[in-house]
Amino acid sequence: MRPPSSLPPSPTHLLPLAQWPAAARGKLIGVFTDIDDTLTTEGAITPDPLKALGDLKAAGLHVVAITGRPVGWSVPFVSAWPVDSIVAENGAVALLPLAGGKLQKRYQQDAATRAANFDRMQAVLARIEREIPGARRATDSPGRETDIAIDHSEFTQLSEETIAQVVALMRSEGMHATVSSIHINGWYGDNDKLEGARWIVRELWGRTLDDELDRWAYVGDSTNDQLMFRTFESSIGVANVARFVPQLEHLPRYVTEGERGAGFAEAARAVLSARATR
């Protein structure tokens, strides 16, 4: 994939995945991945990326999905997918699979803070729906505990201008706001995908992610992935990231040929092929 013609080619970003050095791939100990339009295609995970997750785990790598989706939406998948954890709501809540199909929730905020923030967020959500024509809460909103979401591309189509209005209103209320491939998310707190990644590495393995950034890869597709694209040298955009390139301040270093789940499977094969030749 080439960058859009309006952007100058970058010698260090948006490189074909084939240019990802085998040495960098071969030393990886884990993979972080977005879910929507990275693992999924038209809202569902297909056999190829599901197998790719299992192959990464079978090879001994850590696998963590980090998503803007709510904790309630994520619950069915944390035991069904071969992952160490799903970190939901942009880094605020971690779901951990346990033996016997059980799961554990861990939160970055304490219960009192979550309760206070929840009430504030519901007021903002109501204001958005009241003041911005066409803006509607995401259909997965009942499963959200630490953020709110407005649908812009899943079941409702919003213009770029309307998306910008929603983001501006959230920020005027003191919220963090980010745009995924399907939703506009807003929340109170210091969490984001990168802080969620740092947190889960401490929680699960007692290590400091910043000390081993070169041993992790990140795969994503949209503007709410750009902190990860900026931070990880082994950052990969699936091909449909092209939709967001004009809005991205920080680009992925590599880009797959395949879109969505096929692109993730392609990235996983690149990781595993380097391990096989070590």
Side-chain angles (χ1 to χ4, degrees):
M1 186 194 80
R2 294 184 179 180
S5 58
S6 60
L7 294 176
S10 168
T12 58
H13 294 85
L14 295 176
L15 301 172
L17 193 66
Q19 293 188 29
W20 190 10
R25 289 179 277 137
K27 68 180 180 181
L28 293 180
I29 60 171
V31 175
F32 294 109
T33 180
D34 176 52
I35 292 180
D36 283 298
D37 292 321
T38 299
L39 283 180
T40 64
T41 302
E42 297 184 358
I45 191 166
T46 56
D48 279 356
L50 187 60
K51 180 179 183 300
L53 291 172
D55 290 344
L56 291 169
K57 284 283 292 173
L61 284 98
H62 304 310
V63 182
V64 176
I66 301 189
T67 180
R69 285 285 194 175
V71 63
W73 181 93
S74 304
V75 163
F77 306 115
V78 71
S79 297
W81 295 354
V83 295
D84 292 290
S85 176
I86 294 179
V87 181
E89 301 186 17
N90 286 295
V93 190
L95 292 171
L96 312 179
L98 301 177
K102 297 180 180 180
L103 63 85
Q104 179 186 66
K105 288 184 189 178
R106 298 188 190 182
Y107 297 90
Q108 292 224 51
Q109 297 173 340
D110 61 40
T113 300
R114 296 198 306 272
N117 286 343
F118 185 86
D119 290 342
R120 294 172 67 196
M121 290 187 300
Q122 298 315 300
V124 176
L125 185 58
R127 183 185 168 198
I128 291 169
E129 292 184 314
R130 184 173 64 249
E131 297 184 9
I132 299 179
R136 295 290 180 269
R137 67 190 66 196
T139 58
D140 63 12
S141 292
R144 294 185 178 276
E145 299 184 20
T146 64
D147 76 349
I148 57 174
I150 297 295
D151 186 349
H152 71 74
S153 288
E154 188 174 25
F155 301 107
T156 300
Q157 299 298 313
L158 297 184
S159 67
E160 292 296 329
E161 179 182 4
T162 302
I163 291 171
Q165 285 182 282
V166 173
V167 169
L169 193 155
M170 287 178 174
R171 290 176 177 167
S172 76
E173 292 280 357
M175 304 183 82
H176 294 283
T178 189
V179 181
S180 76
S181 62
I182 56 172
H183 294 161
I184 310 156
N185 296 92
W187 66 91
Y188 292 109
D190 295 328
N191 56 280
D192 54 37
K193 283 192 171 185
L194 180 56
E195 288 306 314
R198 288 171 169 148
W199 172 57
I200 202 64
V201 169
R202 290 194 305 270
E203 288 282 305
L204 295 189
W205 300 293
R207 303 200 305 265
T208 301
L209 177 60
D210 286 10
D211 292 341
E212 53 189 44
L213 282 171
D214 62 337
R215 303 195 69 194
W216 290 81
Y218 182 77
V219 189
D221 76 294
S222 65
T223 53
N224 76 336
D225 297 312
Q226 61 182 328
L227 270 178
M228 307 296 267
F229 293 155
R230 181 188 70 184
T231 303
F232 290 86
E233 183 174 341
S234 292
S235 64
I236 302 102
V238 289
N240 44 293
V241 75
R243 170 188 173 191
F244 292 100
V245 163
Q247 288 83 49
L248 286 173
E249 181 180 356
H250 304 289
L251 300 168
R253 187 171 296 272
Y254 304 104
V255 181
T256 64
E257 291 184 2
E259 295 190 344
R260 299 175 172 84
F264 178 84
E266 181 185 336
R269 288 194 298 271
V271 172
L272 295 169
S273 67
R275 293 174 69 83
T277 57
R278 286 190 304 181

